[in-house]
Amino acid sequence: MSIMSNTILKLVNNTKTAKTLLVITDKSTDLDNMGLSKESIVQLRNAIKNKISPVHFQHGEKNIWIDYQEKEALTPSEKEIYRKSGLKLLSILNTHKIASCVLHNLTNQKDAAYLYGEGIVLGNYQFLKYKTGKNIQPNTFKELQLLDKDITKVDFTALQIVTEATIIARDLVNEPLSYLTAEQLSKEIQKLGKAAGFKVEVFNKAKIQSLKMGGLLSVNLGSKNPPTFNTLEYKPKIFKNKKPLILVGKGVVYDTGGLSLKPTENSMDKMKSDMAGAATVAAVMYAIAKAKLPVHVIALIPATENRPGENAYVPGDVIKMHNGLTVEVLNTDAEGRMILADALSYAQKYNPELVIDLATLTGSAQRAIGSEGIVYMGNADEKIKKALSESGYKTHERLVEFPMWEEYDEYIKSDIADLKNVGGALAGATTAGMFLKHFTNYPWLHLDIAGVAMLDKNDGYRLKNGTGVGVRLLFDFIKNRY
Ligand code: BES
Ligand code: ZN
Ligand code: ZN
């Protein structure tokens, strides 16, 4: 994993020695008492009037950029403005080949340093592992210093952890299949467990066979590389939930579609990202354990390639799943639900208080809301949905709820088995969710991240390629809940 991609965050107690200083201001800031010269203040006021921001000042050795914010007292969904402003400052720092700076918040917005920090650290991410020689061009910016009076110790640590975890998820998504097979993914998860302090158990193919996980085994049939089933558990001495919280992540390390080979041009290009749910879930476990949150969490990650090899499962096959239900496979490209179903059914033995699965499950979710958010559905109570949705607005990893009306169950009725794995052309994201529901018997939410897990162009600090979506969302949700 790339260490180079991580910007260092440091807490300092003054700005005296800083060669580069970034100052955040708004209407509440006393501009006259910032230690600027009379001319500089006039210049700054003019810039603000003309909406030019940030403004650069040179004071001897010191470079100062003053960033003026129009919006004070941000609503949760406006927090994104500050992250994006952080990104804008970052591009100035890298253009000027600056390596470190101190950020100073002079606004009343308490989380300004945190939000700018997220924008800067996440925006400074690079995946350089496979570059060589002169093609290795790391950004010059390396270290962001925050003032201890601008951010609490707890928030500073949370910022460090959550940005690091997001980058871990991005790294995993950006890894190609040539490195990241199911077995390698298990090794990466074990490394994370060691580093953060959670237990990892990896089931091999024989164990998966003994557990009769027919979905995972069938999807794996066309591949030379074996599947794995990973159980991650974080159980601190003191935790607030009587029953465990369970996270489930789709770990299809590559999706060719199988024999129902992905049909259209370029539709396979991004399919190394089909384990983004697994990456996020593993990274969230890392964050929870690092932050020592008082919560008992288990993560389940089924992992395999989906390939059309000689023994591959075929359309028409009937598969007996882990919970005994039979599934008629009518499209081998609807493989995510096959492996998730086994994991969701396996989750029942833990008697969980809540299960949240994350999966790059359907093109339908992507077509419905593009790359602007996550499609979700499930039977967890309204309070939980509201809390998750609020975390979504706060972290800008927004969610849209899709219906699970019982009529949709008709769409996935099979002539010869209990269920079929496709529901026809309409309501694809919903029918995938309806399919999964048959394998649950507990409060549950399904997050379809197909549209947001991997981007084909930069979108602010959510850079092109793996985004690590869901890490900040779930960390915030879990931190608030427990
Ligand atoms: N991994 C894909 C979904 C996907 C599509 C993720 C685009 C990211 C971007 C999934 O396994 C899939 O192929 N789904 C099919 C299901 C269909 C055959 C019922 C789809 O959505 O087309
Ligand atoms: Zn597929
Ligand atoms: Zn897939």
Side-chain angles (χ1 to χ4, degrees), residues 134-184:
K134 64 177 189 324
N135 293 318
I136 305 173
Q137 294 184 354
N139 294 336
T140 53
F141 189 68
K142 297 280 177 263
E143 183 178 272
L144 176 65
Q145 303 179 3
L146 302 181
L147 276 175
D148 58 5
K149 56 174 180 281
D150 289 349
I151 187 165
T152 64
K153 259 246 152 72
V154 173
D155 284 349
F156 179 77
T157 307
L159 175 64
Q160 273 182 319
I161 291 173
V162 87
T163 50
E164 195 196 352
T166 303
I167 283 168
I168 287 170
R170 287 181 180 181
D171 276 346
L172 287 170
V173 172
N174 290 335
E175 282 289 358
L177 176 64
S178 51
Y179 175 77
L180 200 71
T181 58
E183 286 182 319
Q184 188 60 37

Short mmCIF file of all heavy atoms in Angstrom, two decimals, residues 134-184:
data_model
loop_
_atom_site.label_atom_id
_atom_site.label_comp_id
_atom_site.label_asym_id
_atom_site.label_seq_id
_atom_site.Cartn_x
_atom_site.Cartn_y
_atom_site.Cartn_z
N LYS A 134 10.92 8.62 -13.94
CA LYS A 134 10.48 10.03 -13.96
C LYS A 134 8.96 10.17 -13.95
O LYS A 134 8.43 11.26 -13.82
CB LYS A 134 11.11 10.77 -15.15
CG LYS A 134 10.69 10.27 -16.52
CD LYS A 134 11.33 11.14 -17.59
CE LYS A 134 10.83 10.89 -18.99
NZ LYS A 134 10.49 9.54 -19.40
N ASN A 135 8.29 9.06 -14.07
CA ASN A 135 6.82 9.12 -13.99
C ASN A 135 6.30 9.19 -12.56
O ASN A 135 5.11 9.42 -12.34
CB ASN A 135 6.20 7.91 -14.70
CG ASN A 135 6.45 7.97 -16.19
OD1 ASN A 135 6.35 9.04 -16.79
ND2 ASN A 135 6.82 6.85 -16.77
N ILE A 136 7.22 9.00 -11.60
CA ILE A 136 6.82 9.18 -10.19
C ILE A 136 6.89 10.67 -9.91
O ILE A 136 7.98 11.23 -9.77
CB ILE A 136 7.76 8.43 -9.23
CG1 ILE A 136 7.83 6.95 -9.61
CG2 ILE A 136 7.29 8.58 -7.79
CD1 ILE A 136 8.87 6.17 -8.82
N GLN A 137 5.74 11.30 -9.87
CA GLN A 137 5.73 12.76 -9.63
C GLN A 137 4.85 13.09 -8.44
O GLN A 137 3.71 13.53 -8.60
CB GLN A 137 5.25 13.48 -10.90
CG GLN A 137 6.24 13.30 -12.03
CD GLN A 137 5.86 14.06 -13.28
OE1 GLN A 137 4.80 14.66 -13.38
NE2 GLN A 137 6.74 14.03 -14.26
N PRO A 138 5.41 12.88 -7.24
CA PRO A 138 4.60 13.14 -6.06
C PRO A 138 4.34 14.64 -5.89
O PRO A 138 5.17 15.46 -6.25
CB PRO A 138 5.45 12.60 -4.90
CG PRO A 138 6.83 12.46 -5.42
CD PRO A 138 6.75 12.38 -6.91
N ASN A 139 3.17 14.96 -5.36
CA ASN A 139 2.88 16.35 -5.01
C ASN A 139 3.93 16.83 -4.01
O ASN A 139 4.42 16.05 -3.20
CB ASN A 139 1.50 16.45 -4.35
CG ASN A 139 0.38 16.10 -5.31
OD1 ASN A 139 0.55 16.20 -6.52
ND2 ASN A 139 -0.75 15.67 -4.78
N THR A 140 4.23 18.13 -4.07
CA THR A 140 5.24 18.65 -3.13
C THR A 140 4.66 18.76 -1.72
O THR A 140 5.39 18.65 -0.74
CB THR A 140 5.72 20.05 -3.56
OG1 THR A 140 4.59 20.89 -3.74
CG2 THR A 140 6.54 19.97 -4.82
N PHE A 141 3.36 18.99 -1.63
CA PHE A 141 2.78 19.22 -0.30
C PHE A 141 2.76 17.93 0.53
O PHE A 141 2.29 16.90 0.07
CB PHE A 141 1.38 19.81 -0.40
CG PHE A 141 0.86 20.25 0.92
CD1 PHE A 141 1.44 21.33 1.58
CD2 PHE A 141 -0.17 19.56 1.55
CE1 PHE A 141 0.99 21.73 2.83
CE2 PHE A 141 -0.62 19.96 2.81
CZ PHE A 141 -0.04 21.04 3.45
N LYS A 142 3.29 18.02 1.74
CA LYS A 142 3.48 16.80 2.56
C LYS A 142 2.87 16.89 3.96
O LYS A 142 2.56 15.87 4.55
CB LYS A 142 4.99 16.54 2.76
CG LYS A 142 5.76 16.25 1.49
CD LYS A 142 5.58 14.81 1.06
CE LYS A 142 6.27 14.52 -0.25
NZ LYS A 142 5.36 14.58 -1.40
N GLU A 143 2.80 18.10 4.51
CA GLU A 143 2.43 18.17 5.93
C GLU A 143 1.50 19.35 6.22
O GLU A 143 1.85 20.50 5.97
CB GLU A 143 3.69 18.30 6.79
CG GLU A 143 3.40 18.30 8.27
CD GLU A 143 4.68 18.39 9.09
OE1 GLU A 143 5.27 17.34 9.39
OE2 GLU A 143 5.07 19.52 9.43
N LEU A 144 0.35 19.04 6.76
CA LEU A 144 -0.60 20.08 7.14
C LEU A 144 -0.58 20.23 8.67
O LEU A 144 -0.81 19.27 9.40
CB LEU A 144 -2.02 19.71 6.68
CG LEU A 144 -3.12 20.68 7.10
CD1 LEU A 144 -2.93 22.05 6.44
CD2 LEU A 144 -4.49 20.12 6.76
N GLN A 145 -0.29 21.46 9.11
CA GLN A 145 -0.27 21.71 10.56
C GLN A 145 -1.52 22.47 10.96
O GLN A 145 -1.86 23.48 10.33
CB GLN A 145 0.99 22.51 10.91
CG GLN A 145 2.27 21.79 10.46
CD GLN A 145 3.53 22.58 10.78
OE1 GLN A 145 3.49 23.64 11.39
NE2 GLN A 145 4.66 22.04 10.36
N LEU A 146 -2.17 21.98 11.98
CA LEU A 146 -3.37 22.66 12.49
C LEU A 146 -3.05 23.24 13.86
O LEU A 146 -2.23 22.69 14.60
CB LEU A 146 -4.54 21.69 12.61
CG LEU A 146 -4.98 20.96 11.34
CD1 LEU A 146 -6.17 20.06 11.63
CD2 LEU A 146 -5.32 21.96 10.24
N LEU A 147 -3.70 24.35 14.18
CA LEU A 147 -3.46 24.99 15.48
C LEU A 147 -4.29 24.31 16.56
O LEU A 147 -5.48 24.06 16.35
CB LEU A 147 -3.85 26.46 15.40
CG LEU A 147 -2.78 27.39 14.84
CD1 LEU A 147 -3.36 28.79 14.71
CD2 LEU A 147 -1.55 27.40 15.74
N ASP A 148 -3.66 24.06 17.69
CA ASP A 148 -4.40 23.32 18.74
C ASP A 148 -5.62 24.07 19.26
O ASP A 148 -6.55 23.47 19.77
CB ASP A 148 -3.46 22.88 19.88
CG ASP A 148 -2.75 24.06 20.52
OD1 ASP A 148 -3.06 25.21 20.15
OD2 ASP A 148 -1.90 23.82 21.40
N LYS A 149 -5.62 25.42 19.09
CA LYS A 149 -6.83 26.11 19.57
C LYS A 149 -7.96 26.07 18.54
O LYS A 149 -9.09 26.45 18.83
CB LYS A 149 -6.52 27.54 20.00
CG LYS A 149 -5.86 28.44 18.98
CD LYS A 149 -5.78 29.87 19.55
CE LYS A 149 -5.13 30.83 18.59
NZ LYS A 149 -3.65 30.72 18.58
N ASP A 150 -7.67 25.60 17.34
CA ASP A 150 -8.69 25.54 16.29
C ASP A 150 -9.44 24.21 16.25
O ASP A 150 -10.45 24.07 15.56
CB ASP A 150 -8.05 25.74 14.90
CG ASP A 150 -7.60 27.17 14.68
OD1 ASP A 150 -7.96 28.03 15.50
OD2 ASP A 150 -6.90 27.41 13.68
N ILE A 151 -8.91 23.19 16.92
CA ILE A 151 -9.52 21.86 16.82
C ILE A 151 -9.25 21.09 18.11
O ILE A 151 -8.16 21.19 18.68
CB ILE A 151 -8.96 21.10 15.58
CG1 ILE A 151 -9.71 19.79 15.33
CG2 ILE A 151 -7.45 20.87 15.66
CD1 ILE A 151 -9.45 19.19 13.94
N THR A 152 -10.24 20.35 18.58
CA THR A 152 -10.02 19.57 19.81
C THR A 152 -9.12 18.38 19.48
O THR A 152 -9.04 17.94 18.33
CB THR A 152 -11.34 19.02 20.38
OG1 THR A 152 -11.89 18.10 19.43
CG2 THR A 152 -12.35 20.15 20.65
N LYS A 153 -8.51 17.84 20.51
CA LYS A 153 -7.65 16.65 20.36
C LYS A 153 -8.44 15.50 19.74
O LYS A 153 -7.96 14.79 18.85
CB LYS A 153 -7.12 16.22 21.74
CG LYS A 153 -5.69 16.67 21.99
CD LYS A 153 -4.79 15.43 22.10
CE LYS A 153 -3.37 15.71 21.68
NZ LYS A 153 -2.61 16.51 22.63
N VAL A 154 -9.66 15.34 20.24
CA VAL A 154 -10.51 14.24 19.77
C VAL A 154 -10.82 14.40 18.28
O VAL A 154 -10.71 13.44 17.50
CB VAL A 154 -11.83 14.20 20.59
CG1 VAL A 154 -12.81 13.19 20.02
CG2 VAL A 154 -11.53 13.91 22.05
N ASP A 155 -11.17 15.62 17.88
CA ASP A 155 -11.48 15.85 16.47
C ASP A 155 -10.23 15.71 15.59
O ASP A 155 -10.30 15.21 14.47
CB ASP A 155 -12.07 17.26 16.26
CG ASP A 155 -13.52 17.31 16.71
OD1 ASP A 155 -14.10 16.23 16.97
OD2 ASP A 155 -14.07 18.42 16.80
N PHE A 156 -9.11 16.15 16.13
CA PHE A 156 -7.87 16.03 15.36
C PHE A 156 -7.56 14.55 15.09
O PHE A 156 -7.24 14.17 13.96
CB PHE A 156 -6.70 16.69 16.12
CG PHE A 156 -5.39 16.57 15.40
CD1 PHE A 156 -5.10 17.38 14.31
CD2 PHE A 156 -4.45 15.61 15.80
CE1 PHE A 156 -3.89 17.24 13.62
CE2 PHE A 156 -3.25 15.47 15.11
CZ PHE A 156 -2.97 16.28 14.02
N THR A 157 -7.69 13.74 16.14
CA THR A 157 -7.44 12.30 15.97
C THR A 157 -8.44 11.70 14.99
O THR A 157 -8.08 10.89 14.13
CB THR A 157 -7.54 11.60 17.34
OG1 THR A 157 -6.68 12.28 18.25
CG2 THR A 157 -7.11 10.15 17.26
N ALA A 158 -9.70 12.11 15.11
CA ALA A 158 -10.73 11.59 14.19
C ALA A 158 -10.37 11.95 12.75
O ALA A 158 -10.51 11.13 11.83
CB ALA A 158 -12.10 12.14 14.57
N LEU A 159 -9.91 13.18 12.55
CA LEU A 159 -9.53 13.63 11.21
C LEU A 159 -8.38 12.79 10.65
O LEU A 159 -8.42 12.34 9.49
CB LEU A 159 -9.13 15.11 11.25
CG LEU A 159 -8.59 15.72 9.95
CD1 LEU A 159 -9.65 15.71 8.86
CD2 LEU A 159 -8.10 17.15 10.19
N GLN A 160 -7.39 12.56 11.50
CA GLN A 160 -6.26 11.71 11.07
C GLN A 160 -6.74 10.32 10.68
O GLN A 160 -6.38 9.78 9.63
CB GLN A 160 -5.27 11.53 12.24
CG GLN A 160 -4.23 12.59 12.35
CD GLN A 160 -3.28 12.30 13.51
OE1 GLN A 160 -3.70 11.88 14.58
NE2 GLN A 160 -2.00 12.55 13.30
N ILE A 161 -7.58 9.75 11.52
CA ILE A 161 -8.02 8.37 11.31
C ILE A 161 -8.91 8.25 10.08
O ILE A 161 -8.74 7.36 9.24
CB ILE A 161 -8.75 7.85 12.57
CG1 ILE A 161 -7.75 7.68 13.71
CG2 ILE A 161 -9.48 6.54 12.28
CD1 ILE A 161 -8.38 7.34 15.05
N VAL A 162 -9.84 9.16 9.96
CA VAL A 162 -10.84 9.01 8.88
C VAL A 162 -10.22 9.30 7.51
O VAL A 162 -10.57 8.66 6.51
CB VAL A 162 -12.09 9.86 9.19
CG1 VAL A 162 -11.94 11.28 8.68
CG2 VAL A 162 -13.33 9.21 8.64
N THR A 163 -9.26 10.23 7.46
CA THR A 163 -8.61 10.47 6.17
C THR A 163 -7.70 9.29 5.82
O THR A 163 -7.66 8.85 4.67
CB THR A 163 -7.80 11.79 6.17
OG1 THR A 163 -6.94 11.83 7.31
CG2 THR A 163 -8.70 12.99 6.18
N GLU A 164 -7.02 8.76 6.81
CA GLU A 164 -6.16 7.61 6.56
C GLU A 164 -6.98 6.41 6.09
O GLU A 164 -6.62 5.73 5.12
CB GLU A 164 -5.37 7.24 7.83
CG GLU A 164 -4.21 6.32 7.54
CD GLU A 164 -3.63 5.61 8.77
OE1 GLU A 164 -4.03 5.95 9.91
OE2 GLU A 164 -2.79 4.72 8.58
N ALA A 165 -8.11 6.20 6.75
CA ALA A 165 -8.96 5.06 6.38
C ALA A 165 -9.53 5.23 4.97
O ALA A 165 -9.61 4.27 4.19
CB ALA A 165 -10.08 4.89 7.40
N THR A 166 -9.92 6.45 4.62
CA THR A 166 -10.44 6.69 3.28
C THR A 166 -9.37 6.37 2.23
O THR A 166 -9.65 5.78 1.18
CB THR A 166 -10.90 8.16 3.13
OG1 THR A 166 -11.89 8.43 4.13
CG2 THR A 166 -11.50 8.43 1.75
N ILE A 167 -8.14 6.74 2.55
CA ILE A 167 -7.03 6.50 1.63
C ILE A 167 -6.72 5.00 1.53
O ILE A 167 -6.41 4.49 0.44
CB ILE A 167 -5.81 7.35 2.07
CG1 ILE A 167 -6.08 8.80 1.63
CG2 ILE A 167 -4.51 6.81 1.48
CD1 ILE A 167 -5.14 9.82 2.20
N ILE A 168 -6.87 4.29 2.63
CA ILE A 168 -6.70 2.83 2.60
C ILE A 168 -7.73 2.22 1.63
O ILE A 168 -7.40 1.38 0.79
CB ILE A 168 -6.87 2.23 4.02
CG1 ILE A 168 -5.64 2.58 4.86
CG2 ILE A 168 -7.12 0.73 3.97
CD1 ILE A 168 -5.79 2.26 6.35
N ALA A 169 -8.98 2.68 1.74
CA ALA A 169 -10.03 2.16 0.85
C ALA A 169 -9.72 2.50 -0.61
O ALA A 169 -9.86 1.67 -1.50
CB ALA A 169 -11.39 2.71 1.27
N ARG A 170 -9.27 3.74 -0.84
CA ARG A 170 -8.93 4.14 -2.22
C ARG A 170 -7.81 3.28 -2.78
O ARG A 170 -7.88 2.82 -3.93
CB ARG A 170 -8.48 5.61 -2.24
CG ARG A 170 -9.60 6.60 -2.04
CD ARG A 170 -9.03 8.02 -2.11
NE ARG A 170 -10.05 9.02 -1.92
CZ ARG A 170 -9.82 10.33 -1.95
NH1 ARG A 170 -8.60 10.78 -2.16
NH2 ARG A 170 -10.80 11.18 -1.78
N ASP A 171 -6.78 3.06 -1.97
CA ASP A 171 -5.66 2.24 -2.42
C ASP A 171 -6.15 0.85 -2.84
O ASP A 171 -5.75 0.33 -3.88
CB ASP A 171 -4.61 2.07 -1.30
CG ASP A 171 -3.63 3.25 -1.23
OD1 ASP A 171 -3.57 4.03 -2.19
OD2 ASP A 171 -2.92 3.36 -0.21
N LEU A 172 -7.00 0.26 -2.01
CA LEU A 172 -7.48 -1.10 -2.30
C LEU A 172 -8.28 -1.12 -3.60
O LEU A 172 -8.15 -2.02 -4.43
CB LEU A 172 -8.34 -1.63 -1.15
CG LEU A 172 -7.58 -2.03 0.13
CD1 LEU A 172 -8.55 -2.31 1.27
CD2 LEU A 172 -6.71 -3.26 -0.13
N VAL A 173 -9.12 -0.11 -3.79
CA VAL A 173 -9.95 -0.06 -5.01
C VAL A 173 -9.06 0.16 -6.24
O VAL A 173 -9.30 -0.42 -7.30
CB VAL A 173 -11.02 1.05 -4.89
CG1 VAL A 173 -11.76 1.24 -6.21
CG2 VAL A 173 -12.01 0.72 -3.79
N ASN A 174 -8.01 0.96 -6.08
CA ASN A 174 -7.15 1.26 -7.22
C ASN A 174 -6.22 0.11 -7.60
O ASN A 174 -5.68 0.08 -8.71
CB ASN A 174 -6.33 2.52 -6.93
CG ASN A 174 -7.21 3.77 -6.93
OD1 ASN A 174 -8.26 3.79 -7.57
ND2 ASN A 174 -6.79 4.80 -6.22
N GLU A 175 -6.03 -0.82 -6.68
CA GLU A 175 -5.19 -1.99 -6.99
C GLU A 175 -5.86 -2.83 -8.08
O GLU A 175 -7.02 -3.17 -7.96
CB GLU A 175 -5.00 -2.85 -5.74
CG GLU A 175 -3.97 -2.33 -4.76
CD GLU A 175 -2.53 -2.45 -5.25
OE1 GLU A 175 -2.31 -2.99 -6.36
OE2 GLU A 175 -1.64 -2.00 -4.52
N PRO A 176 -5.11 -3.20 -9.09
CA PRO A 176 -5.68 -4.06 -10.13
C PRO A 176 -5.74 -5.53 -9.68
O PRO A 176 -5.09 -5.91 -8.71
CB PRO A 176 -4.69 -3.91 -11.28
CG PRO A 176 -3.39 -3.58 -10.62
CD PRO A 176 -3.72 -2.80 -9.37
N LEU A 177 -6.47 -6.33 -10.43
CA LEU A 177 -6.57 -7.76 -10.13
C LEU A 177 -5.20 -8.44 -10.19
O LEU A 177 -4.95 -9.41 -9.46
CB LEU A 177 -7.54 -8.43 -11.11
CG LEU A 177 -7.66 -9.95 -10.98
CD1 LEU A 177 -8.26 -10.34 -9.64
CD2 LEU A 177 -8.50 -10.51 -12.13
N SER A 178 -4.30 -7.93 -11.03
CA SER A 178 -2.98 -8.54 -11.15
C SER A 178 -2.26 -8.56 -9.80
O SER A 178 -1.32 -9.32 -9.60
CB SER A 178 -2.13 -7.82 -12.19
OG SER A 178 -2.12 -6.43 -11.96
N TYR A 179 -2.66 -7.72 -8.88
CA TYR A 179 -2.14 -7.77 -7.50
C TYR A 179 -3.22 -8.28 -6.54
O TYR A 179 -3.00 -9.18 -5.75
CB TYR A 179 -1.66 -6.38 -7.08
CG TYR A 179 -1.23 -6.31 -5.63
CD1 TYR A 179 0.01 -6.82 -5.23
CD2 TYR A 179 -2.06 -5.74 -4.65
CE1 TYR A 179 0.41 -6.78 -3.90
CE2 TYR A 179 -1.66 -5.69 -3.32
CZ TYR A 179 -0.43 -6.21 -2.95
OH TYR A 179 -0.04 -6.16 -1.64
N LEU A 180 -4.39 -7.66 -6.63
CA LEU A 180 -5.39 -7.88 -5.60
C LEU A 180 -6.39 -8.99 -5.94
O LEU A 180 -7.52 -8.73 -6.32
CB LEU A 180 -6.14 -6.58 -5.28
CG LEU A 180 -6.84 -6.57 -3.93
CD1 LEU A 180 -5.84 -6.50 -2.78
CD2 LEU A 180 -7.84 -5.43 -3.83
N THR A 181 -5.94 -10.24 -5.80
CA THR A 181 -6.86 -11.38 -5.89
C THR A 181 -7.62 -11.48 -4.57
O THR A 181 -7.31 -10.74 -3.62
CB THR A 181 -6.05 -12.67 -6.08
OG1 THR A 181 -5.16 -12.78 -4.94
CG2 THR A 181 -5.24 -12.65 -7.36
N ALA A 182 -8.56 -12.41 -4.50
CA ALA A 182 -9.30 -12.59 -3.24
C ALA A 182 -8.34 -12.92 -2.10
O ALA A 182 -8.47 -12.39 -0.99
CB ALA A 182 -10.35 -13.68 -3.41
N GLU A 183 -7.37 -13.81 -2.38
CA GLU A 183 -6.43 -14.18 -1.31
C GLU A 183 -5.56 -13.00 -0.87
O GLU A 183 -5.26 -12.83 0.31
CB GLU A 183 -5.54 -15.36 -1.77
CG GLU A 183 -6.33 -16.66 -1.78
CD GLU A 183 -5.50 -17.87 -2.17
OE1 GLU A 183 -4.68 -17.74 -3.10
OE2 GLU A 183 -5.68 -18.93 -1.55
N GLN A 184 -5.16 -12.18 -1.83
CA GLN A 184 -4.37 -11.00 -1.49
C GLN A 184 -5.22 -10.00 -0.70
O GLN A 184 -4.72 -9.39 0.26
CB GLN A 184 -3.79 -10.34 -2.75
CG GLN A 184 -2.80 -9.23 -2.48
CD GLN A 184 -1.58 -9.70 -1.68
OE1 GLN A 184 -1.08 -10.81 -1.88
NE2 GLN A 184 -1.12 -8.87 -0.75
#
